[in-house]
């Protein structure tokens, strides 16, 4: 019998946070190994665990999986969060891909200067409110259902809620012009597994702070403003 998934990453959001979200949404308990030293990272490299010499890495069902998209796709399929057929899966891939693009604008945020953070904040809010949120607002309005795909809870819903909450950290009223998304946020946040993950004491990570940034830089030997792998 396979043990609980084990996640290898830093003690912060980065690319692993979406994996935490999806496992939590599926009601799956998981363990974490936090990278704090260069030696830990090099040990993973030397042991061949990191196929492309990058984290995040997840041990799940006897596999050592890298590449965030691959990890998420596996979890979604395993726990019935990936639609009922190929057409629904294609929609989920499309919608999560769009959300990925939006969230990607925030990945480097903790590593920017104060001035650049303000510029990036304005940029990502503009992109969210003129490109991405209008698309999801239309999807929900057009089909009149509670969820993005097939009127059933899926990875697409989890990913979009994560993005919405991240954007609200940058601009609290970012959903002010999107009534469908406001209702969506309320519905998805009240799904029992999601509600539990949003409560204090869960494995959801807070906004990345200076300690997180310093750890990532030290472990990955980053000496310039860049995003982590």
């Amino acid at each position: 019998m396979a043990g609980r998934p084990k996640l290898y990453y830093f003690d912060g959001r980065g690319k692993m946070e979406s994996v935490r979200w999806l496992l939590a949404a599926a009601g799956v308990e998981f363990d974490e190994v936090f990278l704090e030293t260069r030696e830990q990272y090099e040990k993973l490299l030397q042991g061949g665990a990191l196929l492309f010499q990058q984290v995040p890495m997840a041990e799940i069902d006897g596999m050592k999986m890298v590449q965030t998209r691959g990890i998420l796709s596996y979890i979604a399929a395993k726990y019935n969060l990936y639609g009922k057929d190929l057409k629904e899966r294609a929609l989920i891939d499309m919608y999560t891909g769009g959300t990925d693009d939006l969230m990607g604008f925030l990945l480097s945020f903790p590593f920017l200067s104060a001035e650049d953070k303000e510029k990036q904040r304005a940029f990502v809010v503009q992109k969210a409110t003129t490109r991405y949120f209008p698309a999801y607002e239309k999807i929900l309005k057009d089909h009149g259902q509670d969820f993005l795909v097939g009127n059933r809870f899926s990875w697409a819903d989890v990913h979009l809620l994560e993005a919405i909450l991240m954007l609200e950290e940058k601009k609290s009223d970012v959903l002010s012009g999107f009534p469908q998304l406001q209702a969506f946020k309320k519905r998805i946040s009240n799904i029992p597994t999601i509600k539990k993950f949003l409560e204090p004491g869960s494995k959801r990570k807070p906004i990345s702070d200076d300690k997180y940034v310093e750890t990532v830089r030290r472990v990955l030997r980053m000496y310039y403003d860049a995003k982590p792998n």
Side-chain angles (χ1 to χ4, degrees):
M1 182 176 178
R4 298 182 355 165
K6 183 180 290 187
L7 312 182
Y8 294 76
Y9 200 65
F10 306 98
D11 187 8
R13 290 181 181 176
K15 289 189 174 182
M16 186 63 89
E17 189 69 353
S18 293
V19 177
R20 299 182 186 110
W21 266 88
L22 196 57
L23 286 170
V28 178
E29 297 289 337
F30 57 90
D31 299 314
E32 297 189 80
V33 175
F34 297 128
L35 300 181
E36 298 176 344
T37 67
R38 179 70 186 182
E39 289 72 25
Q40 283 178 290
Y41 182 62
E42 289 180 346
K43 186 176 181 179
L44 290 175
L45 289 172
Q46 292 163 5
L50 305 182
L51 182 62
F52 300 111
Q53 301 178 29
Q54 295 175 318
V55 288
M57 189 266 281
E59 286 186 348
I60 183 168
D61 293 342
M63 298 183 290
K64 292 182 178 179
M65 298 191 69
V66 295
Q67 291 298 319
T68 311
R69 188 85 187 174
I71 297 169
L72 290 168
S73 297
Y74 182 80
I75 294 167
K78 179 179 173 73
Y79 296 105
N80 299 314
L81 295 169
Y82 214 171
K84 71 178 187 297
D85 55 31
L86 282 175
K87 287 186 177 180
E88 288 192 358
R89 182 168 293 196
L91 289 175
I92 291 169
D93 283 339
M94 186 165 63
Y95 297 163
T96 55
T99 305
D100 264 343
D101 290 345
L102 175 59
M103 292 169 69
F105 296 131
L106 293 170
L107 190 61
S108 63
F109 199 87
F111 299 84
L112 301 176
S113 67
E115 180 181 356
D116 287 341
K117 281 181 180 179
E118 182 55 32
K119 292 178 181 177
Q120 188 72 351
R121 186 197 71 81
F123 174 80
V124 72
V125 167
Q126 187 269 336
K127 287 292 186 184
T129 55
T130 62
R131 178 181 295 182
Y132 297 97
F133 287 174
Y136 295 121
E137 183 81 0
K138 184 177 187 301
I139 290 165
L140 292 166
K141 184 177 181 180
D142 285 353
H143 66 40
Q145 298 174 338
D146 288 345
F147 306 105
L148 286 171
V149 179
N151 204 27
R152 58 187 290 183
F153 185 45
S154 76
W155 172 22
D157 303 305
V158 180
H159 214 41
L160 180 55
L161 178 62
E162 181 188 358
I164 287 171
L165 296 183
M166 289 172 67
L167 264 294
E168 286 185 331
E169 292 171 346
K170 305 305 178 191
K171 190 175 189 294
S172 60
D173 64 347
V174 72
L175 288 185
S176 61
F178 304 99
Q180 295 290 334
L181 286 176
Q182 291 174 35
F184 171 86
K185 173 193 166 186
K186 184 176 181 179
R187 284 194 303 273
I188 305 304
S189 295
N190 280 302
I191 290 173
T193 54
I194 297 292
K195 188 173 182 179
K196 181 179 179 181
F197 190 60
L198 294 175
E199 292 173 350
S202 79
K203 291 184 176 179
R204 184 185 178 209
K205 304 306 178 192
I207 296 174
S208 299
D209 58 14
D210 291 342
K211 181 181 178 181
Y212 166 78
V213 170
E214 191 279 329
T215 300
V216 173
R217 287 186 185 279
R218 183 179 66 252
V219 173
L220 298 183
R221 293 181 176 169
M222 296 166 55
Y223 303 110
Y224 52 90
D225 288 330
K227 62 186 178 183
N229 292 324

